[in-house]
Amino acid sequence: MVSAELFRQVPLFAGLEDEDLESLISIATRRKYPKDGVIFFEHDLGDALFMILSGRIKVTILSDDGREIILAMLSDGDFFGEMSLLDNEPRSATAIALQETEMVVLHQRDFLSIVEKRPRVLINLLSVLSSRLRKANQQIGNLALHDVYGRVARILLEMASEDGTRQADGRVSFRRPTHQEIANMIGATRETVSRMISDLNRQGYIEISGKNVIIQAALAKEFART
Ligand code: CMP
């Protein structure tokens, strides 16, 4: 059962009236995926929107020889799967749970009906799509304009700005991604990323502290923007 409280956690539906929430509650379902569970594959037909209540997923494209490019990592409150519902094309990427992940699932016709009825939801949706396009533009710039060292530095800055917590001393820390995850986000090998992380650490741009990375102010000064 999906409650109004759960829906309130999803920014896409911020600003909805109780009456709308009630009707969403009666039609949405809750689904749990285990770590590494595939939610859907690229090229599948899409008929549902997914909203993450808790957990983390990756949006990824796989090449024929098994190489992976991670387009995005999404977590609590994020939604995905809207593109196929809006343009009626197959899924543009594969979605895989990175840890046990609980989601609310909304069927295409119910999603489209709420979007048509409530301009607020449409604006929330467009706002997220605009941010994703901005981020994709930055990623294209990062891939095209920088060497692997610069790419690693910039992807760490991006993660810090999205998921980071400011410490008492002003530095920002966030949960450390695996070197393979970073490699798959910037089109490099895991070995190269490991070497670059060690270099950044040695040069005082980052500090590794248990499961976290701490970003030093010098990293932003040196590598901010493209
Ligand atoms: P859809 O094409 O239906 O299925 C894959 C989903 O991944 C897509 O909808 C979006 O929700 C999401 N997605 C695709 N590309 C990106 C991206 N660059 N950033 C964030 N999410 C994305």
Side-chain angles (χ1 to χ4, degrees):
M1 175 71 181
V2 183
S3 69
E5 276 325 299
L6 287 181
F7 265 112
R8 282 187 222 286
Q9 291 171 29
V10 180
L12 179 62
F13 295 120
L16 275 190
E17 305 289 332
D18 286 350
E19 170 202 346
D20 291 324
L21 286 177
E22 288 305 320
S23 74
L24 279 177
I25 287 163
S26 64
I27 48 184
T29 51
R30 229 165 137 165
R31 225 180 274 171
K32 215 181 241 181
Y33 288 83
K35 180 177 177 342
D36 299 326
V38 175
I39 298 135
F40 52 71
F41 284 106
E42 185 183 355
H43 305 311
D44 281 356
L45 286 181
D47 62 355
L49 175 82
F50 295 80
M51 291 152 286
I52 303 176
L53 294 173
S54 64
R56 225 158 68 100
I57 69 118
K58 63 179 172 182
V59 175
T60 175
I61 293 178
L62 291 168
S63 68
D64 290 343
D65 61 0
R67 277 175 308 149
E68 177 185 65
I69 281 284
I70 298 177
L71 299 175
M73 305 238 207
L74 305 175
S75 59
D76 302 12
D78 289 331
F79 65 84
F80 61 96
E82 77 295 341
M83 287 169 59
S84 293
L85 309 190
L86 293 166
D87 66 8
N88 281 312
E89 293 287 329
R91 295 296 191 195
S92 61
T94 299
I96 299 175
L98 288 167
Q99 61 194 59
E100 186 178 81
T101 298
E102 190 168 17
M103 288 183 278
V104 175
V105 186
L106 203 55
H107 196 273
Q108 179 173 27
R109 68 169 176 271
D110 301 319
F111 166 64
L112 291 180
S113 124
I114 196 91
V115 165
E116 279 166 12
K117 213 164 65 182
R118 296 291 175 233
R120 188 67 249 164
V121 175
L122 193 55
I123 289 171
N124 292 345
L125 176 69
L126 290 174
S127 158
V128 173
L129 294 186
S130 303
S131 314
R132 287 184 185 168
L133 184 56
R134 267 178 210 279
K135 202 169 149 190
N137 289 350
Q138 253 181 6
Q139 282 168 345
I140 292 168
N142 197 12
L143 285 171
L145 301 174
H146 303 294
D147 58 15
V148 182
Y149 189 69
R151 286 188 226 162
V152 173
R154 284 175 178 84
I155 200 88
L156 292 176
L157 281 173
E158 189 185 306
M159 289 176 178
S161 88
E162 280 180 7
D163 303 322
T165 314
R166 196 165 288 281
Q167 304 185 146
D169 61 10
R171 296 182 306 167
V172 176
S173 90
F174 60 97
R175 200 175 66 152
R176 186 149 62 101
T178 67
H179 292 179
Q180 187 66 58
E181 282 169 354
I182 296 178
N184 292 358
M185 282 188 261
I186 60 165
T189 63
R190 185 182 53 76
E191 293 75 11
T192 309
V193 167
S194 298
R195 225 176 32 248
M196 300 299 148
I197 295 274
S198 301
D199 285 355
L200 286 167
N201 195 6
R202 209 175 29 250
Q203 286 161 6
Y205 287 123
I206 59 171
E207 187 185 314
I208 307 294
S209 166
K211 287 195 165 161
N212 291 327
V213 187
I214 304 170
I215 299 292
Q216 312 283 10
L219 188 74
K221 272 202 202 107
E222 189 66 28
F223 296 96
R225 301 275 97 181
T226 35

